[in-house]
């Protein structure tokens, strides 16, 4: 395998040289740097000690956790033997000390403990029952095949960090796959990304509830064709019931107007879901990540800007995309800032949203948004 060295955060990482990322013998995607940056900041804010990077590839994520956060014991795992060897080399590149290799496991004991394994993630997570404070799942496509094991490997008050790159499935381009994997009816059109993220969280909540675990969403977002969610688990049947009560359904009519209902079963056949209707962020947590991003060594401006957008976003389910509403009503497209200002002047809250550069989140009724578009 031909390699080159890259730098990200405080890590130096050897990655395969390849024309296209999916041709490489070990996976590495530089575009996911922002995903890893935010994960590093989240782990820093949480202060979790025992961490599992269950699908590690080059090891870049786990190595950054070890270098840039207070985590004391970091496990890096991949089923691919080439990945295992590369992770071992990358650990050696970033840490001094003796790395003891025995078969499919390598351990470095030092100021930090690093454990590198070459195992099926499901097997490893089932063996390490309730061992980790923080479990990171960053798979190709859907995380669903790893979810049950992750919910067993993580402590009952631990945190799950989950990526899903199967946005086509969650956004309704492949409806049957969404029914199969997420047991939910997706929606097409302008709301598909937020609905997709909420379907993902809704499924995670239902899986966690089986173990009498409730879920608080610390932060969940959509970016660059993937979804990412940081979920704080809460112990007990009552907290699981509380989380289940935040599930529900979305309806959207031809005018673009949407409504949602908090129920276990939908009242109409046109329902999309079940999906999570609770918050997509804990405001204090996001403010802390934003603050940390400014002081983090080598922190990227892109990450800081994105966290700023998430921090300022109004916490209400769904949004109005001004282009989509204008198109549906034969209106001219207007500047988003102008529409937000009009709603503000009328006493409503309104902000931009990270889901779309042409959309706004507001507590104003749909008719007021339409009126504001007409007024301009
Ligand atoms: N987390 C990495 C990063 O930030 O660069 C990228 C991970 S890559 C998207 C997914 C990895 O999961 C691949 O390296 C693949 O070999 C590994 N993988 C797939 N199925 C697995 C399994 N059942 N157990 C362990 N690893 C698996």
């Amino acid at each position: 395998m031909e390699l080159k060295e890259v730098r990200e955060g405080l890590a130096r990482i050897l990655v395969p040289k390849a024309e296209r990322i999916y041709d490489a013998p070990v996976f590495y995607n530089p575009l996911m740097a922002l995903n890893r940056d935010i994960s590093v900041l989240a782990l820093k804010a949480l202060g979790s000690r025992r961490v599992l990077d269950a699908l590690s590839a080059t090891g870049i994520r786990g190595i950054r956790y070890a270098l840039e956060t207070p985590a004391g014991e970091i496990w890096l795992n991949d089923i691919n033997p080439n990945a295992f060897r590369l992770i071992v080399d990358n650990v050696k590149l970033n840490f001094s000390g003796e790395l003891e290799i025995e078969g499919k496991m390598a351990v470095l004991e030092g100021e930090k403990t690093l454990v590198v394994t070459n195992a099926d993630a499901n097997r490893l997570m089932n063996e390490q029952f309730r061992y980790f404070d923080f479990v990171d799942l960053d798979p190709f496509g859907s995380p669903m095949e790893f979810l049950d094991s992750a919910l067993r490997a993580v402590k009952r008050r631990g945190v799950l960090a989950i990526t899903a790159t199967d946005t086509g499935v969650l956004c309704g381009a492949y409806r049957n796959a969404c029914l199969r994997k997420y047991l939910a009816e997706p929606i097409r059109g302008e709301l598909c990304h937020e609905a997709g993220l909420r379907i993902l969280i809704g499924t995670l909540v239902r899986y966690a509830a089986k173990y009498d675990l409730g879920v608080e969403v610390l932060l969940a977002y959509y970016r660059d064709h993937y979804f990412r969610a940081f979920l704080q688990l809460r112990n007990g049947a009552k907290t699981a019931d509380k989380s289940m009560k935040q599930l529900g359904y979305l309806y959207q009519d031809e005018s673009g107007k949407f409504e949602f209902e908090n129920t276990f079963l939908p009242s109409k056949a046109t329902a999309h879901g079940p999906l999570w209707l609770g918050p997509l962020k804990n405001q204090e947590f996001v403010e802390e990540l934003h603050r940390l991003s400014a002081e983090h060594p080598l922190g990227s401006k892109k990450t800081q800007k994105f966290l700023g957008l998430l921090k300022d976003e109004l916490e209400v389910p769904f949004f109005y995309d001004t282009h989509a509403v204008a198109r549906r009503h034969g209106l001219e497209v207007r500047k988003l800032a102008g529409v937000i200002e009009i709603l503000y002047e009328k006493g409503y809250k309104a902000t931009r949203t990270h889901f779309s550069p042409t959309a706004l989140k507001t507590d104003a009724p749909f008719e007021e948004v339409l009126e504001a578009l007409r007024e301009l």
Side-chain angles (χ1 to χ4, degrees), residues 109-138:
E109 301 264 17
E111 205 182 308
K112 305 242 168 170
T113 301
L114 279 94
V115 181
V116 186
T117 49
N118 180 203
D120 173 70
N122 279 320
R123 204 184 110 199
L124 177 74
M125 289 192 283
N126 279 294
E127 282 170 0
Q128 299 304 125
F129 184 68
R130 302 270 172 255
Y131 187 76
F132 296 103
D133 299 298
F134 184 99
V135 172
D136 196 319
L137 291 181
D138 183 48

Side-chain angles (χ1 to χ4, degrees), residues 37-47 68-70 284-300 303-304 307 311:
D37 281 355
I38 293 182
S39 306
V40 163
L41 297 170
L43 197 52
K44 216 171 160 178
L46 290 162
E68 300 172 47
T69 80
E284 274 176 27
F285 183 73
V286 183
E287 279 172 17
E288 177 66 358
L289 298 201
H290 187 245
R291 195 187 61 72
L292 287 173
S293 70
E295 67 183 36
H296 189 74
L298 312 180
S300 97
T303 302
Q304 208 184 330
L307 282 167
K311 171 178 76 70

Side-chain angles (χ1 to χ4, degrees), residues 93-111:
L93 190 62
N94 286 275
F95 299 90
S96 54
E98 193 68 20
L99 187 68
E100 295 210 8
I101 308 176
E102 215 184 294
K104 294 181 170 211
M105 191 174 202
V107 181
L108 183 137
E109 301 264 17
E111 205 182 308

Side-chain angles (χ1 to χ4, degrees), residues 176-353:
N176 286 344
C178 192
L179 302 187
R180 283 198 308 275
K181 289 189 188 296
Y182 298 97
L183 314 163
E185 180 73 59
I187 189 170
R188 302 284 287 145
E190 69 268 25
L191 297 181
C192 78
H193 292 119
E194 183 166 344
L197 178 58
R198 289 179 180 279
I199 285 175
L200 171 68
I201 299 169
T203 317
L204 305 178
V205 165
R206 285 180 286 158
Y207 269 58
K210 284 194 296 195
Y211 301 96
D212 287 345
L213 290 169
V215 166
E216 184 199 343
V217 178
L218 295 173
L219 175 63
Y221 64 86
Y222 162 72
R223 168 101 192 189
D224 299 334
H225 310 294
Y226 69 86
F227 296 115
R228 180 80 168 155
F230 296 92
L231 307 175
Q232 171 73 62
L233 298 180
R234 303 271 181 219
N235 189 22
K238 280 199 178 127
T239 57
D241 289 344
K242 223 167 120 188
S243 300
M244 290 288 288
K245 290 219 167 77
Q246 305 212 59
L247 299 181
Y249 296 87
L250 166 71
Y251 299 89
Q252 188 182 30
D253 68 21
E254 305 242 301
S255 73
K257 184 174 173 170
F258 61 78
E259 55 184 37
F260 41 84
E261 59 178 358
N262 263 122
T263 58
F264 187 69
L265 294 173
S267 59
K268 291 178 267 182
T270 50
H272 298 278
L275 39 74
W276 172 252
L277 290 171
L280 292 182
K281 62 178 169 175
N282 170 314
Q283 188 61 29
E284 274 176 27
F285 183 73
V286 183
E287 279 172 17
E288 177 66 358
L289 298 201
H290 187 245
R291 195 187 61 72
L292 287 173
S293 70
E295 67 183 36
H296 189 74
L298 312 180
S300 97
K301 285 270 167 273
K302 210 160 128 188
T303 302
Q304 208 184 330
K305 195 171 161 210
F306 186 59
L307 282 167
L309 183 59
L310 293 172
K311 171 178 76 70
D312 294 339
E313 185 168 318
L314 187 65
E315 182 56 74
V316 292
F318 301 106
F319 55 80
Y320 292 106
D321 187 298
T322 52
H323 285 208
V325 176
R327 196 171 50 243
R328 284 176 192 267
H329 292 264
L331 301 170
E332 254 182 71
V333 171
R334 303 293 185 187
K335 274 227 166 89
L336 184 62
V339 184
I340 289 178
E341 205 179 307
I342 291 181
L343 291 171
Y344 244 93
E345 279 164 9
K346 289 188 176 173
Y348 295 109
K349 291 181 187 146
T351 66
R352 290 175 182 273
T353 167

